[in-house]
Amino acid sequence: MSIQKTLSIIKPDAVRKNIIGQILSKFESNGLKVAAMKMKHLTQAEAEGFYAEHKERGFFGDLVRFMISGPVVVLVLAGNDAILKNRELMGATDPKKAEPGTIRREFAESIDENAVHGSDSSQSAEREIAFFFNAAELVN
């Protein structure tokens, strides 16, 4: 096991439902610590930049529109194998296929409005954290 940092976003659908605390509790009760956190309303340019790797995919426009539809909570989670742990806690992208007890199974509405985002690799985590936070904003 290694201590890692990963990025998580509580998406607009979950913020609208007022379940930020419930999602944070899942992270914390499963060994992840919040190393940085901010609430913001993404601009179109920020959403397009963050999801640039998906620009050529058919869902890109809908994803950007969804991510700018309301505020999000962007956070850095730290802990043993944080990337994998966060992915496990989130569950499958499609909440109908997510395991019981996962965030998406409990809180997501659909494959499009799926409550949370999480980095999928150490390279993605590094890039995604730097997109939203500078080093001074991260707590060790």
Side-chain angles (χ1 to χ4, degrees):
M1 286 206 241
S2 63
I3 299 293
Q4 295 178 321
K5 288 187 174 131
T6 189
L7 187 93
S8 179
I9 301 175
I10 301 175
K11 294 181 177 183
D13 56 322
V15 172
R16 272 192 290 279
K17 290 182 197 172
N18 201 32
I19 55 172
I20 296 165
Q22 291 176 67
I23 293 172
L24 289 174
S25 179
K26 282 214 176 263
F27 294 142
E28 292 179 328
S29 65
N30 283 280
L32 296 173
K33 295 181 182 210
V34 176
M37 182 168 61
K38 62 175 93 171
M39 181 180 265
K40 65 183 286 131
H41 200 136
L42 298 177
T43 65
Q44 182 158 340
E46 286 173 323
E48 288 174 349
F50 184 76
Y51 288 109
E53 67 191 77
H54 300 301
K55 191 167 182 72
E56 301 306 318
R57 296 191 173 168
F59 62 81
F60 180 75
D62 289 338
L63 175 60
V64 169
R65 277 187 290 284
F66 170 60
M67 291 302 291
I68 66 174
S69 70
V72 298
V73 176
V74 185
L75 54 152
V76 177
L77 300 170
N80 288 327
D81 293 319
I83 296 166
L84 180 59
K85 174 59 76 177
N86 184 39
R87 305 284 303 168
E88 289 171 352
L89 291 170
M90 288 191 315
T93 304
D94 182 347
K96 293 176 187 141
K97 295 178 181 173
E99 292 292 322
T102 61
I103 293 167
R104 288 178 172 152
R105 179 68 172 261
E106 290 186 19
F107 302 119
E109 295 297 318
S110 68
I111 198 167
D112 297 320
E113 294 190 11
N114 60 16
V116 287
H117 164 88
S119 302
D120 62 7
S121 68
S122 56
Q123 295 84 5
S124 292
E126 189 174 313
R127 177 182 52 78
E128 292 177 355
I129 290 168
F131 190 90
F132 287 109
F133 297 94
N134 64 53
E137 294 175 296
L138 302 175
V139 176
N140 289 326

